[in-house]
Amino acid sequence: MIVTITYKLVLVVIGVGILLFGQGFLHYYLEEILPVYYLGLLLNVFCVSFMTVLVFHPVLAEKIIVAGMDILERLHLMKKKPSRREKFATSMNVYRETAAYLKEHKKVLASVIFITFIQRLALFAVTWTVYLAFRMEGTPMWDVVLLQAVISVSVDMLPLPGGMGISESLFLKYFPSYLYR
């Protein structure tokens, strides 16, 4: 869970950074598809927020999830099973232990976030290395890296089967032919 939170948190930080400091970049490259970017960023923020509450405020998360299960059971969308509640209680104990560990070892969390940030940037830079491998030039490295980051922000949380179609479609939109000169 911590790895997932940090992976998505870094993506959210990059996405919000682009949103706050890259308005010219966004409007230059992405004018037509900004709603997809905003939706992806919003879904990522929601996901990170929910998972953070789950890990760092397990009592609150437990109350929210139990209330949700009660509603689903009353609406007959979910069968009432005591075993489900037991499994849930067991998993919440793991989250409590994780939260206690992280509160005591804040350097571990900071290190994981830093390493994940470097990993994400390295992953986004692969597109730049491929760009160079094809002997292309004319587009700054950060434009290519940030465009790849925008694709990840946009499609990471979209509830589409496979997600490849939307990724490829956005790739073709975000990386127009003028990048390939």
Side-chain angles (χ1 to χ4, degrees):
M1 182 66 82
I2 297 304
V3 171
T4 303
I5 290 172
T6 55
Y7 193 75
K8 291 195 179 298
L9 177 66
V10 167
L11 194 60
V12 166
V13 168
I14 291 170
V16 169
I18 292 170
L19 183 66
L20 294 176
F21 303 110
Q23 284 297 312
F25 172 84
L26 285 174
H27 290 287
Y28 181 75
Y29 287 112
L30 314 170
E31 189 70 40
E32 296 174 18
I33 41 183
L34 279 175
V36 175
Y37 176 71
Y38 294 140
L39 176 63
L41 185 60
L42 182 69
L43 291 172
N44 274 295
V45 167
F46 174 76
C47 181
V48 168
S49 301
F50 179 74
M51 288 189 299
T52 302
V53 168
L54 188 63
V55 171
F56 295 106
H57 301 288
V59 174
L60 175 61
E62 188 171 6
K63 288 179 183 178
I64 292 169
I65 293 171
V66 167
M69 286 177 16
D70 288 342
I71 290 169
L72 291 174
E73 287 170 357
R74 272 188 256 131
L75 294 173
H76 302 289
L77 296 173
M78 184 188 298
K79 287 185 178 182
K80 195 171 200 168
K81 291 183 180 177
S83 64
R84 182 182 299 125
R85 300 278 174 146
E86 291 169 14
K87 286 180 186 177
F88 176 69
T90 303
S91 64
M92 288 311 296
N93 286 333
V94 172
Y95 289 127
R96 281 189 198 95
E97 291 169 8
T98 303
Y101 176 82
L102 290 173
K103 286 178 184 174
E104 292 176 17
H105 300 90
K106 292 179 182 172
K107 284 185 179 181
V108 170
L109 185 60
S111 296
V112 169
I113 290 171
F114 177 74
I115 290 168
T116 305
F117 187 78
I118 298 301
Q119 285 176 327
R120 290 292 256 186
L121 286 179
L123 180 65
F124 299 149
V126 168
T127 307
W128 172 250
T129 58
V130 171
Y131 179 81
L132 292 177
F134 283 113
R135 300 192 186 276
M136 295 180 187
E137 56 185 40
T139 303
M141 178 187 87
W142 286 109
D143 284 6
V144 174
V145 171
L146 291 177
L147 283 169
Q148 189 61 51
V150 167
I151 289 173
S152 290
V153 169
S154 299
V155 302
D156 191 57
M157 288 300 299
L158 292 180
L160 300 171
M164 285 309 296
I166 188 73
S167 293
E168 292 165 356
S169 184
L170 290 178
F171 188 86
L172 291 172
K173 280 266 194 200
Y174 285 171
F175 289 91
S177 60
Y178 58 82
L179 284 180
Y180 303 123
R181 292 183 192 156

